[in-house]
Amino acid sequence: MLIIAKEMTEQNPAMQLASDYLESTNTVVFLTGKAGTGKTTFLQKLKQASKKQLAIAAPTGVAAINAGGMTIHSLFQLPFGPLLPGGNEQPDTHYSQEKKELLGSLELLIIDEISMVRPDVLDQIDLILRNIKGSAHAFGGVQLLLIGDLSQLSPIIRDEEWAMLRRYYQTPYFFSALVMQKAPYVRIELDHIYRQKEQAFVDILNEVRNQQISADSLALLNARYIPDFRPAVDDPYITLTTHNSIARQVNTEFLEALPGEEFEFAATVKGDFPKDAYPTEINLKLKAGAQVMFVKNDSSAEKLYYNGKIGTVIHINGSTVFVQCGRENEIAVEAVEWTNIKYQSDGEAIGESDAGSFAQIPLKLAWAITIHKSQGLTFDQAIIDVSEAFASGQAYVALSRCRTLSGMVLRNPISAHNIIGDPAVIRFNEQAGMIKPDEQTLRRDQDLYARYLLAELFNFIPFQTRLRGFEMLLPDSEKEIIAIASKFTRQLHAERSPQAAAYFLEKLSAAVENLHRQLPGLIGQSKEAAKKADELIIWLMNRIRLMQHFAKNTFTADAYLALNKDKIKTHDRSYLKALNALPNEKLYEQILEWRERTAGQEKVMPSMLLSEKAAASIAEKLPATLKALSGIKGVGAQKAARYGAELIGLIRAFQQELLSPGTEQVSLF
């Protein structure tokens, strides 16, 4: 069953192959392609359709917001300086338990704009995931989807940083990471161009991308140089320039030259929303006649605007800005909200929550924009100046933003030296292009994935980790479970898995019985010990379920994945009561039932509404007001405003039931 919409893939074999790889293997996939080949669309569709527990990350705040994820440094809590390999062997020791659970549940990590990611960052991610997953496999067995075009913007790395890193890495690009030298990966290039339709222009862009532009193509490109070109007032050209100061100066000069009143719109920032991720100005100044660009896609059914659409402010009425785009009807534009996503663990699932928000009119002045900020956008008419290009890929990014050659005007002629590229990128693309994945390599990697999953079935390193502090209760586990599993995984055979599963089923079942008998007296009133014991028992019960099946059936990847999707998140309540009584458990169960019902109605994952931890906090604290509800970790003001009436209704009904005659009294604390 395909994870990407059929209409996208049936006429795009490369996209279909990428979809199959992400559905049925854990091979690292580098998804690349020229500008306008649908990489961003593929990411958006994958996020909606994938059955894997996934997280999306990007190297910059703006890229993370656009991709609907977190920055790499925030997700993995990385410092910004060079990360020397072999230095800190356990960079995850300072992680909270929630962070460890989140990354421990991860099955697919998507990194967008991978061309801007340094190799040391990728190696650090590998180390962290191997530590948390308890696996020697690259990235701890987590599949990576790396999306980007190496011909576009490159990693930002200072000379003194490269002086430290060059001892370990041949280039500053992700493909030089040490993990990429040993991890099996495939490079899949999307080649169907959706943005440009003119073949002559497509050919020019290909030559610029490959840094081999011919004299004829350069002449055709420079035919778009129009000295002293100034567009008409109603002609929506945007200038793409190399430096932020130039773009800011152009926008300011044009705005000040307009007659009429200037209006200022102040953004509303709540919670955690990094400044470098602000999609537009925090204090946005506009006038009637200002040329503007939309900086967000219209989420309404009408789809009146998209990120990168150019228009002109016609008039402003209070908090509404009216924008005209060509001959279309005026668009009434009001403030919208961007969300800074934060991932959280909910049992074995990964949910999204709102770490913060930025609310503002989704416009920015658009007489000029930097090439860096234009990445991912498409323009019908653009004035381009790359005469001061200073980084590899800048010229290609700027030129490929345009739909047509005729819609482009060059402010200065382009010479061959303006097309800056990196020979290391050309070399990598040539080498990777010689080994193209196909149906045969897909089947090979599917078989490797099945062997990896078989090894995971008998991987008892997570058990060993969770057993710390309770070893005296299971003194024979090292000899009878962990050592035997280690021997078996060195000589894996699917046909022998039933006998092995039967052996471990007996040992694990005995372990659970021993723990049930001994743990309550050992942990007493310690909530921390109860929580750790709970995690140990849940892991064992999940593994017992797997062993029960595979003791009777030969191992298959499909069966393992299906069983693993149905993991126990919170086990037998009688055990929980004995170890760590949950306050107001009946209300907690009612909140979870409400969560499942509401998630079904809204067609979202239950964990996106409330985590189980937040539900337990609500049941314990019994908030009586929206303000009190919003103060609970994992709820916040937005969720309290949206769902508060229903949740407080559940709380009041529960309290009324407690006070009713004949009802068994339950402690509220």
Side-chain angles (χ1 to χ4, degrees):
M1 187 172 176
L2 302 179
I3 61 172
I4 303 297
K6 189 176 180 181
E7 60 270 20
M8 279 189 67
T9 59
E10 58 186 5
Q11 295 189 358
N12 195 329
M15 196 173 282
Q16 178 63 67
L17 185 61
S19 178
D20 290 341
Y21 256 98
L22 294 165
E23 181 186 29
S24 59
T25 80
N26 68 338
T27 303
V28 175
V29 175
F30 171 36
L31 185 70
T32 188
K34 306 174 183 71
T37 50
K39 297 186 294 295
T40 301
T41 303
F42 183 89
L43 166 58
Q44 293 166 350
K45 296 292 184 183
L46 176 66
K47 183 180 179 181
Q48 295 170 3
S50 178
K51 295 177 182 177
K52 293 184 177 180
Q53 298 291 337
L54 63 82
I56 301 171
T60 67
V62 172
I65 295 297
N66 288 341
M70 297 176 66
T71 64
I72 294 171
H73 287 79
S74 177
L75 180 59
F76 290 95
Q77 296 175 213
L78 300 179
F80 286 96
L83 303 162
L84 303 183
N88 185 357
E89 286 301 318
Q90 288 189 305
D92 51 293
T93 50
H94 65 290
Y95 284 0
S96 66
Q97 188 60 36
E98 184 179 11
K99 175 71 76 174
K100 290 179 181 177
E101 289 172 1
L102 165 69
L103 297 177
S105 301
L106 196 61
E107 296 172 317
L108 173 62
L109 173 63
I110 302 171
I111 302 181
D112 198 20
E113 303 293 3
I114 189 63
S115 69
M116 300 171 68
V117 177
R118 301 192 319 250
D120 58 314
V121 171
L122 211 56
D123 277 335
Q124 195 77 350
I125 292 172
D126 167 56
L127 176 60
I128 289 168
L129 291 177
R130 281 190 286 111
N131 286 346
I132 286 177
K133 290 279 190 176
S135 170
H137 199 279
F139 301 107
V142 175
Q143 184 174 33
L144 263 65
L145 169 60
L146 311 173
I147 303 178
D149 181 3
L150 286 165
S151 298
Q152 298 191 36
L153 300 179
S154 55
I156 298 173
I157 181 167
R158 296 193 294 269
D159 290 342
E160 60 271 23
E161 292 176 332
W162 183 236
M164 297 173 66
L165 292 173
R166 68 189 310 164
R167 290 176 288 170
Y168 306 94
Y169 302 108
Q170 292 185 337
T171 79
Y173 297 97
F174 81 92
F175 55 77
S176 289
L178 303 181
V179 65
M180 294 300 289
Q181 313 309 311
K182 59 185 179 182
Y185 74 92
V186 293
R187 175 184 177 275
I188 299 176
E189 182 166 0
L190 301 181
D191 50 14
H192 182 83
I193 297 175
Y194 296 95
R195 183 177 294 156
Q196 292 91 13
K197 303 300 180 185
E198 298 175 351
Q199 190 57 48
F201 188 31
V202 169
D203 292 341
I204 290 173
L205 290 177
N206 285 342
E207 291 183 23
V208 173
R209 185 172 187 259
N210 295 328
Q211 304 155 39
Q212 295 175 336
I213 191 164
S214 66
D216 290 344
S217 293
L218 194 60
L220 190 58
L221 191 59
N222 280 321
R224 298 305 305 155
Y225 168 55
I226 305 175
D228 303 319
F229 175 79
R230 287 190 69 85
V233 175
D234 59 347
D235 216 358
Y237 276 85
I238 184 169
T239 296
L240 273 63
T241 186
T242 50
H243 291 74
N244 196 47
S245 58
I246 299 174
R248 191 163 46 243
Q249 180 183 348
V250 170
N251 285 325
T252 301
E253 288 176 355
F254 271 93
L255 184 68
E256 290 177 348
L258 288 175
E261 182 181 357
E262 182 178 276
F263 294 81
E264 185 169 329
F265 298 87
T268 301
V269 183
K270 295 179 181 178
D272 179 18
F273 203 104
K275 289 184 177 181
D276 67 353
Y278 289 175
T280 186
E281 302 296 328
I282 193 165
N283 293 301
L284 178 64
K285 297 177 181 179
L286 297 174
K287 289 182 182 180
Q291 181 166 293
V292 290
M293 178 179 73
F294 287 90
V295 290
K296 191 174 177 65
N297 294 330
D298 183 8
S299 59
S300 72
E302 290 81 8
K303 306 296 181 190
L304 297 175
Y305 55 84
Y306 56 85
N307 191 7
K309 187 171 187 175
I310 304 292
T312 303
V313 175
I314 302 303
H315 60 101
I316 299 171
N317 185 1
S319 60
T320 305
V321 180
F322 293 85
V323 177
Q324 181 88 48
C325 300
R327 297 181 180 178
E328 300 174 10
N329 294 331
E330 287 182 8
I331 303 172
V333 188
E334 296 186 328
V336 297
E337 189 173 77
W338 288 261
T339 301
N340 182 24
I341 293 295
K342 179 182 179 183
Y343 292 106
Q344 61 187 23
S345 174
D346 183 10
E348 296 291 339
I350 293 177
E352 293 181 358
S353 64
D354 301 345
S357 63
F358 179 96
Q360 178 60 291
I361 304 291
L363 299 170
K364 69 191 315 178
L365 294 176
W367 287 287
I369 188 175
T370 62
I371 294 168
H372 188 276
K373 290 180 180 177
S374 75
Q375 189 158 339
L377 302 179
T378 303
F379 304 116
D380 293 315
Q381 294 176 296
I383 301 169
I384 292 175
D385 185 4
V386 291
S387 59
E388 295 185 39
F390 58 87
S392 64
Q394 278 189 325
Y396 176 67
V397 171
L399 296 173
S400 60
R401 298 310 94 200
C402 302
R403 290 189 193 276
T404 64
L405 189 60
S406 59
M408 175 199 307
V409 172
L410 298 180
R411 175 159 285 174
N412 291 291
I414 293 178
S415 61
H417 76 267
N418 295 135
I419 301 170
I420 303 171
D422 193 326
V425 170
I426 294 287
R427 196 159 51 246
F428 170 78
N429 284 332
E430 288 176 348
Q431 292 170 352
M434 293 171 63
I435 314 172
K436 291 184 178 180
D438 53 23
E439 289 299 320
Q440 184 176 348
T441 58
L442 174 63
R443 286 192 296 273
R444 177 203 67 194
D445 289 338
Q446 287 170 333
D447 290 341
L448 289 172
Y449 186 40
R451 288 185 61 80
Y452 164 77
L453 294 176
L454 178 59
E456 279 299 287
L457 175 63
F458 299 104
N459 176 13
F460 283 89
I461 294 176
F463 168 64
Q464 192 174 26
T465 301
R466 287 167 173 79
L467 190 61
R468 286 172 190 156
F470 303 118
E471 294 94 339
M472 75 291 290
L473 304 183
L474 301 173
D476 296 327
S477 60
E478 179 67 38
K479 179 178 64 177
E480 295 184 351
I481 298 176
I482 296 165
I484 299 296
S486 178
K487 288 179 183 177
F488 181 72
T489 52
R490 288 198 291 268
Q491 44 186 341
L492 281 173
H493 296 288
E495 58 272 16
R496 291 181 56 206
S497 61
Q499 297 96 307
Y503 171 84
F504 288 111
L505 175 60
E506 179 187 349
K507 298 299 180 184
L508 297 182
S509 298
V512 169
E513 288 178 16
N514 285 333
L515 291 172
H516 269 289
R517 188 172 59 253
Q518 300 178 73
L519 273 173
L522 175 69
I523 63 177
Q525 299 300 312
S526 169
K527 287 189 175 181
E528 186 61 31
K531 183 180 179 183
K532 290 182 178 179
D534 197 32
E535 291 169 2
L536 174 59
I537 292 285
I538 289 174
W539 189 92
L540 283 168
M541 292 180 72
N542 277 316
R543 196 50 55 108
I544 285 171
R545 288 173 65 254
L546 291 170
M547 296 302 177
Q548 285 173 333
H549 177 84
F550 291 116
K552 300 174 183 176
N553 303 278
T554 302
F555 181 88
T556 66
D558 288 343
Y560 178 89
L561 291 171
L563 287 165
N564 220 31
K565 288 298 177 192
D566 194 27
K567 284 181 178 177
I568 300 168
K569 297 180 184 178
T570 54
H571 57 76
D572 184 347
R573 278 293 183 232
S574 62
Y575 177 73
L576 271 179
K577 287 178 181 175
L579 264 64
N580 188 17
L582 184 69
N584 305 322
E585 185 177 346
K586 184 176 180 180
L587 175 59
Y588 171 73
E589 297 290 358
Q590 290 171 345
I591 293 172
L592 292 187
E593 289 172 7
W594 167 86
R595 183 183 77 153
E596 295 290 333
R597 187 171 60 252
T598 306
Q601 293 167 354
E602 298 188 3
K603 295 182 173 58
V604 298
M605 292 171 57
S607 58
M608 291 180 68
L609 298 183
L610 280 179
S611 68
E612 291 184 5
K613 185 181 292 185
S617 295
I618 294 170
E620 179 182 1
K621 297 178 181 178
L622 301 174
T625 64
L626 292 179
K627 184 176 181 181
L629 180 63
S630 68
I632 290 176
K633 187 176 181 181
V635 180
Q638 291 180 347
K639 289 181 181 178
R642 186 167 182 177
Y643 306 114
E646 296 174 69
L647 289 169
I648 290 175
L650 287 174
I651 293 168
R652 288 175 180 168
F654 171 73
Q655 290 172 322
Q656 282 296 115
E657 187 178 343
L658 290 180
L659 298 174
S660 298
T663 302
E664 181 184 352
Q665 296 300 302
V666 180
S667 171
L668 301 184
F669 306 99

